[in-house]
Amino acid sequence: MTVTAAGDGPWLDDAAGRLVRPFTVSNGRTRPTVALDLVSQLMATGATPLGYLGPEHAQALERCRVPVAVAEVAAHLKLPVAVTKVLLADLVDCGALTTKPPAFHHNPTDRALLEAVLDGLRRQL
């Protein structure tokens, strides 16, 4: 079993994975203060956050230098989406990130689009 030191990055164990529970990253908070969904777009504003933010906040902010979806940030951080939303909401609240809902250029319930997605999923199986 190999455990990295606290200053070496995230606490990981080769067998167990992350040793710090994900919700400790968000101080136990489970609800973001900003409405975000998986495809909400985020982008850094260039403003420096005031006060202390954890390393996960810094990683998320770095990832948002270009427009990126919430789901992509969660995958990059290797954290549950619920935790990631709380972290991103912290950054929106302090003015370091802006968010906007995705722009649909078509009807998201368009039958042809849904059939194309279904066909693609069937090809993957």
Side-chain angles (χ1 to χ4, degrees):
M1 174 172 90
T2 305
V3 177
T4 61
D8 293 342
W11 290 11
L12 299 174
D13 178 297
D14 291 339
R18 182 184 283 266
L19 296 177
V20 176
R21 295 285 182 223
F23 286 97
T24 60
V25 172
S26 64
N27 293 326
R29 295 173 294 146
T30 59
R31 296 184 193 264
T33 56
V34 176
L36 298 169
D37 62 25
L38 290 176
V39 292
S40 294
Q41 296 289 305
L42 300 147
M43 185 162 176
T45 62
T48 304
L50 298 176
Y52 173 77
L53 295 175
E56 289 82 4
H57 286 95
Q59 290 172 349
L61 188 56
E62 178 67 27
R63 193 67 170 169
C64 295
R65 287 181 181 241
V66 296
V68 64
V70 171
E72 291 180 54
V73 176
H76 177 76
L77 295 178
K78 297 179 180 149
L79 287 172
V81 173
V83 174
T84 303
K85 286 180 179 181
V86 172
L87 297 177
L88 293 171
D90 290 346
L91 291 168
V92 169
D93 289 344
C94 72
L97 288 181
T98 60
T99 182
K100 67 177 184 171
F104 289 107
H105 299 291
H106 51 67
N107 181 358
T109 58
D110 179 38
R111 183 177 177 92
L113 174 65
L114 295 175
E115 287 175 355
V117 170
L118 182 60
D119 290 341
L121 291 172
R122 285 183 178 147
R123 280 193 297 267
Q124 295 295 320
L125 297 176

